[in-house]
Amino acid sequence: MAITIFSLSSCNKKQCAEQQPQATESLPWIIDRFDDIKVLRYEVPGFEQLPLNQKVLIYYLSQATKCGRDILFDQNFKYNLTVRRTLEQIYSAYEGDKQETNFKAMEKYLKKVWFANGIHHHYSNDKFRPEFSQEWFSAQVDKYVKELPIEKQLLLDIIFDKELFAVRLNQTDGVDMVKESACNYYEGVTMAEVEKFYADMVDSKDPRPISYGLNSKLIKDNDGKIVERTWKVGGMYSAAIEQIVFWLEKAAQVAEEPQKSIINALVNYYRTGDLREFDRYNVLWVGDNTSNVDFVNGFIEDYGDPLGRKASWEGTVNFMDSTACRRTQIIAANAQWFEDNAPINPAFRKKEVKGVSAKVITVAMLGGDCYPATPIGINLPNADWIRKEYGSKSVTIDNITYAYDKAAQGNGFNEEFMLREEDRARIAEHGKLGDDLHTDLHECLGHGSGQLAPGVKGGELKSYTSTLEEARADLFGLYYLGDPKMVEIGLIPSLDVAKAQYADYIMNGMMTQFARIELGKNVEEAHMRNRKLIAEWCYEKGKKDNVIEWVKQDGKSYIVVNDFEALRKLFGELLFEVQRIKSTGDYEAGRKLVEDYAVKIDPELHKEVLERYGKLGIEPYSGFVNPDYELVEQDGKIVDVKLIPKTDYIEQMLHYSAEWSFLPSIN
Ligand code: ZN
C-alpha cells in the first residue's frame, strides 16, 4: 500500500521535515512546471556519511531501479512506448523554430507523457488532449521519424481521437472494465473470462493463497485459448528484467546477510516467475529490520488494474534516517503510557501494547510507478496472509516530504488563508515538527490503540469504517500533541508545536482541503472526510464558548482557533465517542457523525476557496527528478560513490529513454 499526498500546501498530511544537512540549498526546489504539474528535486542527506559498502549497495540497487521504466510505460498502455519514442525522435531532431506554438505544445505533451509514464493522466486516468495540430504533427513524423512500429494512421488516432483508448482505468459498475480500460494487462479477453480464469485457479482453502495473476498479462492465443504471458526472464519484458537481475546480482555480491539472501530470492523470482518464490522473498524482506539500506523492486501495487489483480512495476532504494527514527523510538517506548492515559472508556483500552514500529527513511532512487510521482509512505507487503503471519513494514519518506515543504514555502498559501500573523509565525517555526509528530502518533499508536468490546467483530460500521478509523487515529494524535507529556519526554520544545498543528488542522478540515474537490461535489475520500468531521464537530460543540470562530475580513472567510486548551478537550471528547462507536460497533451513531459533519460542503464557501486557491497558481500534482550516482574507482577498486544532484527534467527523461530503455516498442 502506498500513501500519497497532493502538493497542496497545508493540505499535506506530512508537510515538512526537520533538521537535514543542506549541501545544495542554493539549488531551486521546483525545477519545472507545466499544465497541472510541478517537478521538484529531492536531496539525499546522510548519503555521504554512509560506509562505502552501503554506498556501493545503493549504487547497484539504484541501477536496478532505473531498468524497469519501459515496463511501466507498456503496462499502462500497449502503444505508450511507440508514442513516447516517436515524440522523442521529433523533439531531439527538430530543426524548426522551437518557440513555435505547435512545437511548444508538443513539448508540453511530451513532458506530460513522461510524467504519467504514458498518454493517460497519472491520477485522473484520462487521455491527454494534444494542443498541437494533427496536420503539423503528421508532417513532423514524415520528416523526422524513420521507422514506425505501427501504422501511421493508428498513431494519429491514438493521440488525436478523443474516443479511442479514452481512459486507462475504467471501474464503472456494470461495464466490462477489462474491455473499457486502456491499460495493457489483458488482451482479447472479457471481464467474465478473466474472472473465471482466476476463479478456477484459486484454492479457497489455502491459508496462504498465491497472488495469481500478479505478474502476467492475460491474453487469448491464436487457438482461442486463454493464457498468461508471465513477466520474467525468458517471458514478457525479458529484456528489461534481465537488466534488473544483472544489477540485483551485483548488489547481492556486496550485501551482507540477511539482505544477500533476500536479493537472491528476488532474483530467483524474476528468473522463474514463480509467485511462491515472490512470497518467500516477501517473508524474508519483511523480517529484515536491521539492514540500514533497504529497497522495493518488483510488481507491487495493483491500483492500475481495474480488477485489482495485476501489479505495476516499481522500485525504490532507501536507507534509514536515524535522527528521525529517534523520534519514533521515543513514541514507541512510551506506547503503553499513551494507551493507559487515552481519553476513552478504560474498558476499551488495550491492556498490553505490542509491536509498535515505524521507520523514517531517506529515499535515494525512485523508479517505475514511484517515479516521477511518488508516495510519501509505503506499507508492504500487500499479501494479507503474510501481513497476518509476519507483519508488514511501514515507512515514511522524510526527504520527500521535506522537499514538498520547501517547494511550498513562499507560494502564498498561508498568507492567503491564515488570518493571524501569530498562527503563521507558529506554522513557520513548528509546522514541520507538528505535522511529523501528528503523523507518527497517528500511524505508530493511533491505529493500533484501543480494543473491541467482547462479541464485536469489526466490520459493523460498514462503509463508514475507514472514515471513523482515520478520525480515531487523527484524534489520538491531536489529543496527545497538546499533552505536557510531549514536552516532558523531549518530543517537542513547547506546546506551541500543538498550537501550530491545531490551527492548521482546523483550517484544512473546514476550508482549504476543499480546493481539491470539484465544485458541487461532496467530500468522498476517507482522510478528507475524517478531517472535516473532526473540525466541524469541534466547531459546533465549542460554539457557545467561541472555541473556533469564522471571521469575515475584506470579503474573505477565515477560520481561527481562539482557545487551544478547550479545543484539545473537545478532541478528547470526540475520541471518547469515536472509540465507543468502534468498540461497540454502533453503526447508527457512526453513520450520523459522518453524514452530519463530514460530507456536505457549503457551496458558497467552496466557490470562494476554489477562487482564492486558483489565484495562487499552485499546481496540484508534483513529482521528482532523481539524483545520479557515480562510482569512483582507483586502481580498479571502488573507493567511493559520488552523488550528483540533477535539476533538469527534460535532460533526465531523455537520458533515461536513451540509456535505460531496453524493451521493443511493442511487447
Ligand atoms: Zn491512517
Side-chain angles (χ1 to χ4, degrees):
M1 278 162 268
I3 306 147
T4 52
I5 54 161
F6 288 74
S7 66
L8 195 55
S9 168
S10 292
C11 293
N12 297 342
K13 184 69 208 71
K14 281 206 66 173
Q15 199 199 339
C16 345
E18 65 202 283
Q19 89 292 306
Q20 312 248 5
Q22 295 312 321
T24 47
E25 189 65 77
S26 54
L27 298 174
W29 286 95
I30 302 175
I31 59 164
D32 209 340
R33 23 179 29 135
F34 46 90
D35 213 56
D36 56 357
I37 304 284
K38 61 177 170 294
V39 182
L40 321 178
R41 71 184 172 92
Y42 62 89
E43 297 187 334
V44 192
F47 179 81
E48 265 88 19
Q49 288 76 44
L50 291 174
L52 179 61
N53 66 331
Q54 292 187 19
K55 286 188 190 177
V56 177
L57 180 59
I58 287 173
Y59 174 81
Y60 287 136
L61 290 170
S62 292
Q63 302 294 82
T65 306
K66 289 187 267 186
C67 297
R69 179 169 173 257
D70 283 356
I71 297 178
L72 182 68
F73 268 86
D74 195 75
Q75 288 181 312
N76 280 342
F77 175 52
K78 187 178 172 168
Y79 300 109
N80 271 338
L81 288 168
T82 302
V83 174
R84 188 190 84 198
R85 285 174 177 154
T86 305
L87 292 163
E88 285 169 350
Q89 280 178 64
I90 298 170
Y91 186 79
S92 301
Y94 189 74
E95 290 161 342
D97 175 9
K98 294 196 171 165
Q99 295 308 313
E100 197 259 333
T101 327
N102 276 305
F103 182 83
K104 276 270 157 216
M106 190 196 76
E107 180 183 69
K108 178 165 137 193
Y109 182 83
L110 177 56
K111 282 181 175 184
K112 286 159 72 173
V113 168
W114 283 329
F115 192 90
N117 293 288
I119 61 168
H120 301 89
H121 193 280
H122 74 288
Y123 192 78
S124 78
N125 299 311
D126 295 331
K127 193 165 89 169
F128 294 133
R129 300 271 166 93
E131 294 164 60
F132 47 96
S133 82
Q134 181 163 338
E135 295 66 34
W136 178 85
F137 181 71
S138 174
Q140 309 313 308
V141 172
D142 292 342
K143 190 166 174 194
Y144 295 112
V145 181
K146 285 177 200 74
E147 229 184 82
L148 269 180
I150 57 172
E151 291 291 325
K152 187 178 161 196
Q153 191 54 50
L154 176 58
L155 174 73
L156 294 175
D157 291 345
I158 286 167
I159 296 176
F160 293 95
D161 181 343
K162 291 192 184 86
E163 309 299 324
L164 190 65
F165 307 119
V167 284
R168 181 164 63 88
L169 188 67
N170 189 332
Q171 289 183 292
T172 316
D173 220 16
V175 308
D176 185 325
M177 300 178 202
V178 166
K179 291 254 176 256
E180 297 302 319
S181 299
C183 58
N184 190 24
Y185 294 117
Y186 308 96
E187 195 166 332
V189 287
T190 65
M191 185 164 135
E193 284 170 333
V194 176
E195 278 168 348
K196 179 166 186 322
F197 182 88
Y198 287 111
D200 288 351
M201 266 187 177
V202 171
D203 173 5
S204 57
K205 286 193 201 74
D206 191 346
R208 297 171 173 183
I210 293 159
S211 311
Y212 287 115
L214 189 78
N215 64 337
S216 65
K217 177 175 175 177
L218 196 67
I219 60 157
K220 210 172 261 180
D221 71 8
N222 293 335
D223 306 326
K225 214 178 140 219
I226 298 174
V227 289
E228 282 187 325
R229 291 183 65 204
T230 304
W231 307 324
K232 60 171 186 170
V233 172
M236 194 172 175
Y237 302 143
S238 185
I241 295 173
E242 285 164 39
Q243 294 290 328
I244 295 170
V245 164
F246 172 84
W247 291 109
L248 285 178
E249 285 181 328
K250 292 232 174 229
Q253 282 167 19
V254 298
E256 286 167 24
E257 290 297 358
Q259 205 151 34
K260 195 188 274 290
S261 303
I262 295 171
I263 298 171
N264 285 329
L266 179 61
V267 166
N268 207 33
Y269 159 64
Y270 272 133
R271 287 195 183 284
T272 59
D274 182 353
L275 287 164
R276 278 185 200 84
E277 196 58 17
F278 184 55
D279 283 345
R280 186 174 80 85
Y281 153 76
N282 275 316
V283 168
L284 290 173
W285 178 81
V286 82
D288 175 17
N289 284 306
T290 52
S291 299
N292 194 45
V293 175
D294 205 354
F295 69 101
V296 175
N297 187 303
F299 302 102
I300 308 292
E301 304 285 3
D302 56 22
Y303 307 122
D305 171 10
L307 303 185
R309 188 172 284 283
K310 311 283 173 192
S312 61
W313 190 90
E314 71 176 44
T316 68
V317 184
N318 62 73
F319 57 94
M320 234 180 285
D321 177 339
S322 43
T323 316
C325 282
R326 213 167 301 136
R327 197 176 69 217
T328 52
Q329 278 157 11
I330 296 177
I331 292 173
N334 287 280
Q336 192 67 51
W337 184 90
F338 285 111
E339 183 73 19
D340 294 345
N341 289 280
I344 58 175
N345 184 334
F348 303 144
R349 285 181 196 145
K350 256 203 183 99
K351 302 290 160 286
E352 199 190 331
V353 182
K354 38 179 147 174
V356 175
S357 84
K359 275 202 314 183
V360 184
I361 58 165
T362 301
V363 84
M365 184 60 69
L366 302 165
D369 227 354
C370 294
Y371 172 87
T374 181
I376 57 157
I378 301 176
N379 190 311
L380 290 174
N382 283 330
D384 280 326
W385 73 265
I386 301 179
R387 298 171 72 87
K388 218 167 113 199
E389 285 185 34
Y390 298 93
S392 65
K393 272 198 230 178
S394 182
V395 298
T396 48
I397 309 175
D398 215 38
N399 58 330
I400 292 296
T401 51
Y402 182 78
Y404 274 131
D405 182 53
K406 282 290 178 186
Q409 280 173 14
N411 66 8
F413 184 89
N414 286 340
E415 290 70 19
E416 175 61 40
F417 289 105
M418 204 162 259
L419 179 67
R420 292 178 186 159
E421 169 52 31
E422 64 200 75
D423 285 321
R424 293 199 293 268
R426 269 194 297 260
I427 291 274
E429 194 177 347
H430 303 295
K432 159 185 168 26
L433 182 57
D435 256 348
D436 284 353
L437 272 173
H438 184 221
T439 304
D440 293 339
L441 291 165
H442 173 117
E443 298 293 346
C444 309
L445 300 183
H447 279 307
S449 70
Q451 64 179 7
L452 301 180
V456 177
K457 297 212 161 40
E460 287 83 359
L461 305 176
K462 295 181 200 153
S463 62
Y464 300 107
T465 306
S466 346
T467 298
L468 291 164
E469 177 56 19
E470 291 309 326
R472 203 175 65 85
D474 256 2
L475 285 163
F476 194 99
L478 288 165
Y479 177 79
Y480 276 122
L481 198 56
D483 196 309
K485 179 88 177 175
M486 299 293 285
V487 184
E488 191 190 303
I489 57 180
L491 282 171
I492 56 174
S494 79
L495 289 173
D496 271 3
V497 178
K499 288 184 183 172
Q501 178 69 10
Y502 286 8
D504 195 40
Y505 192 94
I506 297 296
M507 178 184 80
N508 187 24
M510 291 182 76
M511 185 162 73
T512 47
Q513 66 168 346
F514 305 153
R516 284 192 243 162
I517 298 172
E518 233 176 274
L519 193 62
K521 294 210 165 144
N522 288 331
V523 185
E524 301 286 352
E525 202 275 328
H527 296 83
M528 296 177 78
R529 280 189 165 189
N530 126 57
R531 290 174 206 139
K532 183 165 186 304
L533 192 169
I534 292 173
E536 299 273 7
W537 188 92
C538 292
Y539 170 73
E540 195 179 292
K541 299 294 163 187
K543 214 167 179 176
K544 57 177 190 327
D545 301 319
N546 209 22
V547 176
I548 301 169
E549 185 184 9
W550 277 111
V551 178
K552 270 266 185 199
Q553 193 170 298
D554 302 329
K556 291 179 178 176
S557 313
Y558 299 90
I559 189 89
V560 291
V561 178
N562 292 319
D563 188 339
F564 291 97
E565 250 321 293
L567 179 57
R568 176 166 184 254
K569 265 176 100 179
L570 289 169
F571 288 147
E573 282 167 32
L574 184 55
L575 178 55
F576 188 95
E577 172 62 1
V578 173
Q579 183 65 55
R580 185 198 66 76
I581 289 171
K582 177 176 177 174
S583 291
T584 60
D586 188 345
Y587 173 81
E588 194 40 42
R591 188 195 67 78
K592 208 168 157 1
L593 257 191
V594 176
E595 293 296 342
D596 284 356
Y597 297 102
V599 181
K600 294 218 163 45
I601 311 173
D602 170 33
E604 280 303 307
L605 176 69
H606 195 177
K607 204 162 143 254
E608 182 192 325
V609 170
L610 286 170
E611 276 171 16
R612 286 164 67 186
Y613 184 73
K615 279 189 194 143
L616 297 173
I618 303 170
E619 298 85 354
Y621 303 101
S622 309
F624 291 85
V625 292
N626 284 314
D628 223 341
Y629 299 89
E630 241 174 50
L631 291 182
V632 183
E633 291 177 87
Q634 235 169 48
D635 309 323
K637 267 183 66 185
I638 299 168
V639 292
D640 198 8
V641 179
K642 229 177 119 191
L643 181 146
I644 304 153
K646 290 286 172 188
T647 54
D648 191 328
Y649 175 66
I650 294 177
E651 182 198 276
Q652 179 150 89
M653 288 298 173
L654 288 173
H655 170 70
Y656 283 177
S657 293
E659 305 294 328
W660 298 92
S661 181
F662 305 104
L663 295 181
S665 292
I666 302 292
N667 287 276

